[in-house]
Amino acid sequence: MTVSSEFVIGIDIGATKIAVTLADTEGRILSKTRIQHGRRPYHDVMPQLQATVAQLLSNESVKPGQIAAYGICAPGILRPEEGILCRTSNLDWRDVPIGPDLQKTLPCPFFMDNDANAGVLAEWLFGDAKGLQDVVYLTLSTGIGGGVIAGGQLLSGRFGSAGELGHIVLDAEGPLCGCNKRGCLEAYCGGHNVALHLQEALRDRPNHPMMRLPDVNGKLENLNFQTLRQGAMAGIPLAVALWDDVCLRLAQGIGICLSMFNPAMLLLGTAAVYAGDFLLDKIRVNLPRFAWREFIEPCDIRIASLGHDIGDYAGAAIALYRLSGHGLNPQPHP
Ligand SMILES: [Zn+2]
């Protein structure tokens, strides 16, 4: 990798925490830490983030001039060239200039991308997908995000929006999605929609076995993707039926991805990390209904290898990928 400076800083804005990572430009992670943001306002969190970056550099005896770039990733709506997070589902932050604000205390270029693109880059640079030319990553969290490496390049599209795989429509008459279309993959399998569906099915049924699961503890709001999986594993018929439907729709979405991108590897992240083979096995059984054998057999479908630590790699992966000459040029120093 030919860059004049020696290190990058990765910043991953998550639902409950911010992961801050120092890596060298060879892709070695030197140090990492996390900030629990507790959903506090942006103007509270940013000074802490700036101080954390400074501390990380000081701990590793790295000088500010040795930092080649920040890589910033976040779920939600972004304006990447400007380093602005417009909105995200888990934080009450609106149009916050994360990139420019970080530059105030450590002036260097920044690169920004969404969590799913960062996820596929992280798996590609640090995880099981290392060295492969064609990789798809699906993040199964509140919503469903997608990131695609095609022919050794992150697929970006005209406006950087390529790979929105959660909004592939599986049934035009299906349930309403948060994007206002009907029948999106996310409407069937996104964590938020699965939780709503389950809560609706069990409203006013306090004695249902699902409500007695330890992690549900009688509370409707505890019914979510994870407790659905627990219920299905326990053989509770309502949960088994819904889990089977989620797995069928995921197989349908994955089948489309296989036919579109013919990937060597397809990785499932976030909620899939907990579910493991209980999810994968059912997807595999259903896949032949949705894709040719010629697409299924050469594709290694697996759980994201970086698991819940993917945020420690995601921001750094964006910076390393962009610095290596791919995609947009860095912004000028302020
Ligand atoms: Zn949608």
Side-chain angles (χ1 to χ4, degrees), residues 17 29 68 96 106 108 140 151 170 187 198 246 249 252 259 280 306 310 319 328 333:
K17 62 176 184 347
I29 302 290
V96 294
L106 176 55
C108 67
L140 309 184
L170 305 180
L198 193 56
V246 167
R249 292 299 186 176
Q252 188 178 3
S259 306
L280 281 182
L306 300 173
I310 199 160
L328 306 168
H333 284 210

Side-chain angles (χ1 to χ4, degrees), residues 36-325:
Q36 301 297 325
H37 55 61
R39 304 191 181 194
R40 283 175 289 139
Y42 177 73
H43 61 79
D44 267 11
V45 176
M46 179 45 75
Q48 188 183 1
L49 181 54
Q50 290 164 330
T52 302
V53 169
Q55 190 65 52
L56 211 60
L57 264 57
S58 160
N59 291 350
E60 296 296 321
S61 304
V62 171
K63 297 186 180 68
Q66 292 176 282
I67 301 298
Y70 296 102
I72 306 163
C73 78
I77 310 294
L78 314 173
R79 294 213 299 270
E81 288 79 10
E82 298 160 78
I84 293 175
L85 171 59
C86 302
R87 60 189 161 85
T88 181
S89 56
N90 294 298
L91 279 162
D92 194 23
W93 296 2
R94 292 286 180 275
D95 300 319
V96 294
I98 299 174
D101 280 350
L102 285 167
Q103 285 180 320
K104 286 177 187 166
T105 51
L106 176 55
C108 67
F110 60 79
F111 304 96
M112 191 180 214
D113 215 324
N114 69 55
D115 58 334
N117 282 348
V120 78
L121 287 173
E123 288 288 347
W124 191 51
L125 293 175
F126 297 104
D128 280 356
K130 218 172 195 173
L132 299 176
Q133 290 288 297
D134 298 277
V135 183
V136 174
Y137 174 72
L138 284 176
T139 169
L140 309 184
S141 49
T142 316
I144 293 187
V148 180
I149 304 279
Q153 301 265 343
L154 180 70
L155 203 63
S156 294
R158 174 70 179 86
F159 295 112
S161 311
E164 279 291 357
L165 304 174
H167 301 281
I168 295 170
V169 173
L170 305 180
D171 180 352
E173 307 301 323
L176 192 64
C177 182
C179 75
N180 269 335
K181 286 189 291 157
R182 285 199 172 275
C184 293
L185 174 60
E186 179 171 309
Y188 291 103
C189 307
H192 179 68
N193 289 307
V194 168
L196 287 182
H197 189 142
L198 193 56
Q199 288 167 13
E200 197 49 47
L202 289 162
R203 196 173 299 282
D204 303 322
R205 296 170 76 180
N207 297 319
H208 193 279
M210 280 299 290
M211 301 304 290
R212 293 200 294 269
L213 287 173
D215 285 356
V216 176
N217 195 25
K219 296 196 173 104
L220 210 58
E221 65 268 28
N222 290 339
L223 291 165
N224 53 31
F225 198 95
Q226 299 309 335
T227 45
L228 171 67
R229 173 182 54 86
Q230 291 166 10
M233 289 178 97
I236 298 171
L238 180 142
V240 171
L242 182 52
W243 185 257
D244 284 353
D245 193 42
V246 167
C247 292
L248 179 77
R249 292 299 186 176
L250 266 176
Q252 188 178 3
I254 289 169
I256 292 168
C257 293
L258 298 190
S259 306
M260 283 170 78
F261 305 114
N262 188 197
M265 184 176 283
L266 185 144
L267 296 138
L268 297 170
T270 358
V273 176
Y274 294 106
D277 286 342
F278 190 64
L279 184 77
L280 281 182
D281 288 348
K282 290 213 160 139
I283 289 172
R284 289 196 182 105
V285 166
N286 286 307
L287 256 182
R289 297 173 64 181
F290 302 112
W292 294 340
R293 186 170 52 82
E294 287 80 355
F295 289 118
I296 299 169
E297 284 180 358
C299 183
D300 186 352
I301 299 172
R302 57 169 67 196
I303 302 299
S305 59
L306 300 173
H308 297 299
D309 294 332
I310 199 160
D312 294 332
Y313 301 90
I318 293 172
L320 293 169
Y321 177 73
R322 297 296 185 195
L323 284 172
S324 68

